[in-house]
């Protein structure tokens, strides 16, 4: 057996764990008491679920197993994805007269004069994946215009090797579906499909299709089996679909409309995918939605997975990051009717109009829809106005349906606070919270839901993922550090299962050759898929969900958060400002001073804005600029900043940034912000911002202000002209620590303990199971860790970070357990109470 560094690491780790329960290793420095005799909140069986959106080639080119791109020639460029290979006398042209289907009127006419033959090549979705020895089902709508030609179908490799071939002929003058089967003679992830008209004549082609014979549950025209299997292995409690921002659309005409995604696939009208052009740094001009994966398929997939369906509908608002287009309130009727019709489609009897449509699609039994989302991550009064109308009508007609409302795109900003206040007044059922942030945010917020009001709406933590770099960065990785931060946060959600009823990581899938966003839970190419460390965290929680929360008491004597370090930033927000006499002190010691007479020594001046020095001041002279200059030193703790600042133009005041340090974390005093009407202390933790405190106030142009900020531990005192204006206690961020939650599995009669050690050293943990008389045999331990926090899985090394299972030597209700550094450990302990 080949010995790798990972093998050696795993063996050493297992040897250490084998000794841990005997007390032969580290002295205990932490204790954990689990009150197994005091079960608390019942856990929603659907707590841990999956969120699907057609991003990163998630549907077309991914889960939907169709291999042919632009199969019906309906892209704005009808030949996108196709390349003609006609001889000098042959031709390939797009036509719309007498189409196969008026809903998708474009088709391809191929005319051949014999030799050389006329044909076209389809490139697939970053290639066509075929596996040697497996069959692929080809179909096409075809009619003969002239002659009696034959259509040759070939799968070829990039180097021209023939991988499989078939022929069909005997065409009539009417559109007819023709099918055949191709068997690949080799595995190739980047194959092409070639269609060649042999002999003299002209053929019209439409709905050109190629599917692997082996789809999920072997359904013709179905889903990619390996990708669905990864979902099934998660044992998700719910499936949220179809998004996501895709629900909203860039404009309302581009929104997701469920009624256009059901029925025969040839009648489903293609639209552009909003991720086609959303990110300039990752354009995907060939990204469209064929809706081969539509609402009937989503409902069927949820049923296959044993998951609750959770569809999300447009609320009459386009994406507010794009056009923000609104449907007038008096024109919301069709949108609300869509919701009513969807409930009937999912649950109605076959005697109802929409229940009959469901039955006609092969599913007479209802889908038992219980939840429905209204909007995605909209915000502001305009969302509340529209949600309130949906809420009133749907609750009157379908009180049995739980409604999911949005709370904006961030987990703690002003939009979030406003929506939660108003949704509580509306007595909303479930509020959907979203968060993409650095690991530090998840570690620091593991106790987030300990503080929530138990009497208000429940929580759906519907989109979250730790970002190793920053939001929308191409450098984000699905590494162990991010996965462990998510696991720490999930222990907090599990402990508060009375509040948190649903949670899902997002996005779900990413194609290695066609992604727009990262990180993603599962990565794929045209033939393979691999789980990430984040996936394994989700699986360990979902497969070990339990039925009731058990109270835990975790004591870690040396768990002290160090004083945060940082430097200084001088910022402008749509203003021109001058700064001078900058000093940073601690006690009587001067840590930093700048007079800006000859040079900006010790500063990093940004490329945006217009920064320069004049008359002993550092000036940003563009009144429209949003820009910040930073000190190079970011190592100061418990320091005081003093300076003079003068606004010389623009609409706001100025910003002083402190504690700018690890993982996009900082605190700032926004002086004269919000249209020069207020002063505010703002915290940014792991790229997510929060308004901590705010007071009325404004800044005069042309006047020098003496500014002072004093930092001591979590406290921040802010002065203008020696007058205290604001103070706040800002919780110190958490970069490591020990986290735990426990549940009881009623069927297995087991206590399930989840422990996350996010520290760089192993932790010996004294565990006591209160109310347990004895331990039965059969205890299991699942351990997720790796050699480095930066470790990731890849298609070529898919198991580098993956769980290991072993049998712990637990004999009594009180025992010592070693938790390795940077690890998630799940213990299943059979007990007798």
């Amino acid at each position: 057996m080949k010995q790798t560094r990972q093998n050696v690491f795993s063996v050493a780790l297992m040897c250490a764990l084998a000794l841990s329960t005997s007390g032969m290793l580290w002295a205990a420095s932490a204790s954990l008491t689990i009150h197994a005799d005091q079960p608390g909140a019942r856990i929603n069986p659907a707590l841990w679920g999956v969120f699907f959106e057609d991003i990163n080639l998630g549907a077309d080119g991914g889960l939907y197993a169709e291999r042919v791109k632009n199969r019906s020639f309906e892209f704005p460029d009808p030949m996108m994805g196709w390349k003609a290979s006609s001889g000098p006398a042959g031709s390939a042209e797009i036509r719309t007269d007498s189409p196969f289907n008026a809903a998708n009127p474009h088709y391809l006419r191929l005319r051949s004069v014999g030799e050389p033959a006329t044909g076209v090549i389809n490139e697939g979705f970053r290639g066509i994946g075929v596996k040697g020895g497996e069959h692929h089902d080809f179909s096409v709508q075809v009619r003969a215009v002239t002659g009696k030609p034959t259509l040759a179908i070939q799968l070829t490799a990039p180097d021209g090797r023939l991988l499989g071939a078939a022929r069909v002929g005997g065409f009539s003058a009417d559109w007819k579906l023709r099918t055949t089967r191709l068997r690949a003679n080799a595995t190739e992830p980047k194959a092409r499909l070639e269609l060649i008209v042999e002999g003299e004549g002209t053929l019209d082609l439409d709905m050109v299709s190629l599917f692997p014979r082996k789809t999920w549950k072997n359904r013709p025209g179905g889903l990619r089996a390996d990708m669905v299997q990864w979902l099934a292995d998660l044992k998700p409690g719910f499936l949220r679909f179809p998004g996501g921002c895709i629900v909203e659309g860039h404009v309302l005409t581009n929104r997701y409309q469920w009624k256009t995604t059901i029925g025969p696939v040839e009648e489903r009208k293609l639209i552009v995918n909003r991720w086609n052009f959303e990110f300039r740094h990752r354009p995907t001009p060939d990204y469209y939605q064929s809706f081969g994966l539509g609402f009937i398929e989503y409902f069927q997939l949820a049923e296959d997975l044993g998951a609750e369906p959770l569809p999300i509908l447009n609320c009459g608002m386009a994406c507010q990051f794009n056009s923000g287009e609104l449907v007038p309130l008096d024109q919301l009727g069709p949108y609300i009717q869509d919701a009513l019709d969807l409930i009937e489609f999912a649950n109605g009897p076959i005697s109802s109009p929409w229940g009959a449509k469901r039955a006609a699609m092969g599913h007479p039994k209802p889908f038992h829809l219980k939840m429905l989302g209204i909007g995605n991550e909209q915000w502001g009064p305009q969302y509340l106005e529209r949600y309130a109308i949906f809420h009133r009508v749907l609750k009157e007609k379908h009180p049995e349906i739980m409604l999911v409302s949005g709370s904006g795109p961030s987990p703690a900003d002003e939009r979030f606070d406003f929506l939660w206040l108003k949704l509580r007044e509306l007595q909303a059922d479930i509020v959907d919270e979203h968060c993409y942030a650095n690991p530090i945010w998840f570690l620091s917020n593991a106790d987030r839901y300990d503080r929530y009001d138990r009497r208000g709406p429940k929580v759906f933590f519907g989109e979250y993922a730790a970002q190793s770099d920053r939001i929308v960065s191409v450098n984000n990785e699905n590494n162990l550090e991010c996965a462990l931060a998510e696991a720490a946060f999930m222990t907090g959600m599990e402990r508060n299962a009375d509040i948190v009823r649903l949670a899902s990581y997002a996005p779900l899938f990413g194609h290695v050759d066609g992604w727009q966003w990262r990180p993603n839970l599962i990565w794929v190419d045209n033939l393979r898929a691999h789980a990430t460390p984040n996936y394994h965290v989700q699986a360990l929680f979902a497969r070990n969900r339990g039925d009731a929360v058990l109270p835990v008491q975790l004591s870690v004597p040396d768990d002290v958060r160090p004083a945060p370090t940082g430097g200084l930033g001088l910022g402008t927000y749509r203003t021109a400002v001058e700064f001078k006499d900058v000093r940073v002190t601690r006690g009587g010691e001067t840590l930093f001073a700048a007079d800006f007479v000859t040079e900006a020594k010790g500063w990093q001046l940004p490329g945006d804005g217009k920064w320069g020095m004049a008359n002993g001041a550092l000036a940003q002279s563009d009144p429209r600029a949003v820009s910040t200059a930073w000190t190079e030193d970011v190592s100061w703790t418990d320091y005081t900043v003093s300076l003079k600042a003068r606004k010389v133009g623009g609409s706001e005041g100025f910003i002083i940034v402190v504690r700018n340090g690890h993982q996009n974390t900082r605190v700032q005093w926004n002086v004269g912000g919000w249209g020069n009407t207020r002063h505010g202390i703002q915290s940014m933790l792991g790229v997510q911002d929060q308004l901590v405190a705010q007071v009325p106030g404004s800044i005069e142009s042309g006047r020098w202000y003496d500014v002072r900020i004093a930092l001591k531990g979590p406290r921040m005192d802010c002065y203008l002209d020696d007058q205290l204006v604001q103070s706040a206690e800002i919780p110190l961020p958490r970069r490591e620590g020990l986290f735990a939650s426990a549940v009881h599995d009623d069927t297995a009669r087991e206590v399930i303990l989840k422990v996350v050690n996010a520290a760089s050293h192993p932790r010996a943990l004294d565990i006591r199971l209160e109310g347990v008389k004895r331990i039965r045999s059969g205890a299991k331990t699942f351990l997720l860790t790796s050699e480095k926090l930066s470790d990731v899985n890849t298609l070529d090394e898919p198991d580098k970070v993956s769980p290991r299972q072993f049998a712990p030597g637990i004999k009594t209700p009180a025992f010592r357990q070693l938790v390795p550094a940077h690890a998630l450990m799940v213990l299943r302990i059979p007990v007798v109470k």
Side-chain angles (χ1 to χ4, degrees), residues 49-54 63 238-247 256 258 261-262 293-303 305 307-314 342 345-346 367 369-376 460 462 504 508:
V50 291
F51 169 106
F52 181 85
E53 180 168 12
D54 188 5
L63 190 61
F238 67 89
L239 171 65
R240 171 178 173 161
F241 60 89
C245 294
I246 212 165
V247 170
Y256 198 102
W258 75 267
T261 74
I262 60 174
L293 176 56
F295 258 48
I296 184 65
E297 288 82 15
Y298 283 125
F299 276 110
Q300 182 66 71
L301 175 59
E303 184 176 85
L305 297 173
E308 296 283 351
L310 175 50
I312 309 295
L313 297 182
N314 189 287
L342 179 62
F345 176 75
F367 285 113
L369 177 68
K370 300 174 185 176
M371 301 178 291
L372 181 62
I374 307 302
N376 174 42
F460 172 26
S504 53
L508 186 55

Side-chain angles (χ1 to χ4, degrees), residues 324-486:
E325 183 184 2
L326 298 174
V327 174
L329 295 178
D330 61 359
Q331 297 176 30
L332 268 182
Y335 290 75
I336 295 173
Q337 191 61 49
D338 278 351
L340 294 170
D341 291 344
L342 179 62
I343 296 171
E344 184 177 288
F345 176 75
N347 295 350
I350 60 175
S351 58
S352 66
W354 285 98
K357 291 180 184 292
R358 183 192 69 241
M361 296 172 197
H363 203 285
K365 293 182 179 180
F367 285 113
H368 305 294
L369 177 68
K370 300 174 185 176
M371 301 178 291
L372 181 62
I374 307 302
N376 174 42
E377 56 183 22
Q378 276 73 38
W379 65 83
Q382 60 270 50
Y383 172 64
L384 285 169
E385 292 172 336
R386 285 156 182 79
Y387 173 79
I389 298 173
F390 274 90
H391 183 99
R392 183 177 67 251
V393 174
L394 294 177
K395 283 300 179 182
E396 177 183 336
K397 295 183 179 296
H398 289 284
E400 76 281 8
I401 299 295
M402 299 286 286
L403 298 182
V404 176
S405 53
S407 61
S410 300
D413 64 3
E414 294 173 82
R415 296 169 295 186
F416 177 90
D417 292 339
F418 171 78
L419 285 169
W420 252 103
L421 175 66
K422 297 300 182 181
L423 289 168
R424 192 181 299 277
E425 293 174 0
L426 285 170
Q427 298 183 324
D429 295 325
I430 303 173
V431 177
D432 181 13
E433 300 183 353
H434 294 179
C435 180
Y436 299 101
N438 297 122
I440 196 171
W441 187 94
F442 291 94
L443 296 174
S444 301
N445 280 278
D447 60 351
R448 173 185 177 91
Y449 296 110
D450 296 351
R451 303 182 294 272
Y452 266 49
D453 186 346
R454 276 27 214 176
R455 298 165 297 177
K458 304 303 181 184
V459 171
F460 172 26
F461 205 62
E463 290 188 36
Y464 69 96
Q467 316 285 292
S468 65
D469 185 25
R470 54 184 172 80
I471 298 174
V472 197
S473 170
V474 298
N475 298 316
N476 282 326
E477 295 284 357
N478 287 97
N479 61 32
L480 177 64
E481 181 181 16
C482 290
L484 292 179
E486 292 154 8

Side-chain angles (χ1 to χ4, degrees), residues 75-381:
F75 285 17
D77 174 1
M79 287 297 288
M80 180 175 277
W82 297 90
K83 180 181 179 182
S85 58
S86 358
S91 63
E93 63 172 327
I94 299 297
R95 300 175 66 101
T96 58
D97 53 306
S98 301
F100 162 64
N101 192 295
N104 292 292
H106 295 86
Y107 62 89
L108 175 66
R109 175 164 290 181
L110 288 178
R111 184 173 67 88
S112 174
V113 294
E115 293 295 337
T118 296
V120 288
I121 301 170
N122 188 272
E123 66 186 17
F125 298 91
R126 309 301 183 269
I128 293 174
V130 296
K131 291 184 177 180
E134 293 191 1
H135 291 97
H136 297 76
D137 294 325
F138 173 85
S139 65
V140 61
Q141 291 287 346
V142 60
R143 70 179 172 193
V145 180
T146 63
K148 296 182 179 181
T150 297
L151 184 66
I153 305 103
Q154 297 180 353
L155 285 168
T156 59
D159 61 6
R161 287 178 295 114
L162 183 64
L163 301 173
R167 284 177 171 78
V168 290
F171 307 117
S172 70
D174 297 319
W175 287 105
K176 296 290 184 183
L177 178 66
R178 301 302 300 271
T179 63
T180 189
R181 183 175 65 182
L182 291 82
R183 182 179 183 276
N185 59 35
T187 296
E188 174 54 61
K190 301 283 189 180
R192 306 174 302 177
L193 177 68
E194 299 189 21
L195 307 180
I196 303 168
V197 178
E198 297 179 329
E200 294 187 14
T202 303
L203 296 178
D204 290 339
L205 308 178
D206 201 357
M207 292 301 296
V208 182
S209 178
L210 183 73
F211 277 87
R213 173 65 58 87
K214 293 182 179 179
T215 58
W216 173 251
K217 291 187 177 293
N218 295 316
R219 292 190 182 113
L223 307 182
R224 227 179 99 167
D226 61 330
M227 292 176 69
V228 181
Q229 190 61 58
W230 280 110
L231 301 186
D233 291 344
L234 274 174
K235 299 188 181 302
F238 67 89
L239 171 65
R240 171 178 173 161
F241 60 89
C245 294
I246 212 165
V247 170
E248 305 162 355
H250 183 270
V251 292
L252 286 171
T253 54
N254 185 230
R255 73 188 187 278
Y256 198 102
Q257 301 182 64
W258 75 267
K259 291 176 181 176
T260 68
T261 74
I262 60 174
V265 293
E266 61 268 19
E267 295 181 3
R268 303 181 187 183
K269 290 188 176 182
L270 173 141
I271 65 171
V272 67
N273 190 302
R274 72 165 333 271
W275 302 110
N276 178 302
F277 51 83
E278 182 67 17
F279 299 129
R280 293 181 180 178
H281 62 285
R282 294 294 297 181
T284 316
D286 59 345
Y287 203 1
Y288 291 82
Q289 297 179 81
S290 71
F291 297 118
L293 176 56
F295 258 48
I296 184 65
E297 288 82 15
Y298 283 125
F299 276 110
Q300 182 66 71
L301 175 59
E303 184 176 85
D304 291 346
L305 297 173
E308 296 283 351
L310 175 50
I312 309 295
L313 297 182
N314 189 287
C315 65
M317 300 176 67
C319 181
Q320 288 164 278
F321 289 112
N322 300 141
S323 70
E325 183 184 2
L326 298 174
V327 174
L329 295 178
D330 61 359
Q331 297 176 30
L332 268 182
Y335 290 75
I336 295 173
Q337 191 61 49
D338 278 351
L340 294 170
D341 291 344
L342 179 62
I343 296 171
E344 184 177 288
F345 176 75
N347 295 350
I350 60 175
S351 58
S352 66
W354 285 98
K357 291 180 184 292
R358 183 192 69 241
M361 296 172 197
H363 203 285
K365 293 182 179 180
F367 285 113
H368 305 294
L369 177 68
K370 300 174 185 176
M371 301 178 291
L372 181 62
I374 307 302
N376 174 42
E377 56 183 22
Q378 276 73 38
W379 65 83

Side-chain angles (χ1 to χ4, degrees), residues 739-775:
F739 308 83
S741 61
V743 299
H744 188 266
D745 186 320
D746 296 343
T747 302
R749 293 184 299 140
E750 293 180 344
V751 170
I752 305 174
L753 170 62
K754 302 178 182 76
V755 181
V756 178
N757 184 5
S760 57
H761 54 273
R763 177 74 73 176
L765 186 60
D766 280 338
I767 299 173
R768 179 174 295 276
L769 304 178
E770 293 286 354
V772 170
K773 295 179 181 178
R774 62 183 177 86
I775 305 298

Side-chain angles (χ1 to χ4, degrees), residues 610-685:
K610 295 180 180 178
W611 291 90
M613 290 179 296
N615 302 318
L618 179 65
Q620 196 290 109
S621 58
D622 183 352
R624 297 168 298 179
V626 178
S627 185
T628 303
W630 303 96
T631 58
E632 295 174 350
D633 194 341
V634 293
S635 63
W636 308 321
T637 59
D638 289 344
Y639 55 104
T640 297
V641 173
S642 61
L643 56 90
K644 295 182 182 295
R646 177 171 66 177
K647 170 183 173 180
V648 295
S651 59
E652 304 253 337
F654 47 82
I655 297 173
I656 310 301
V657 185
V658 293
R659 287 188 190 161
N660 54 305
H662 185 66
Q663 293 186 348
N664 300 298
T665 294
R666 66 176 185 263
V667 181
Q668 64 187 34
W669 191 24
N670 190 343
V671 186
W674 297 271
N676 201 18
T677 63
R678 287 167 282 176
H679 308 315
I681 296 175
Q682 298 168 298
S683 169
M684 178 170 282
L685 180 62

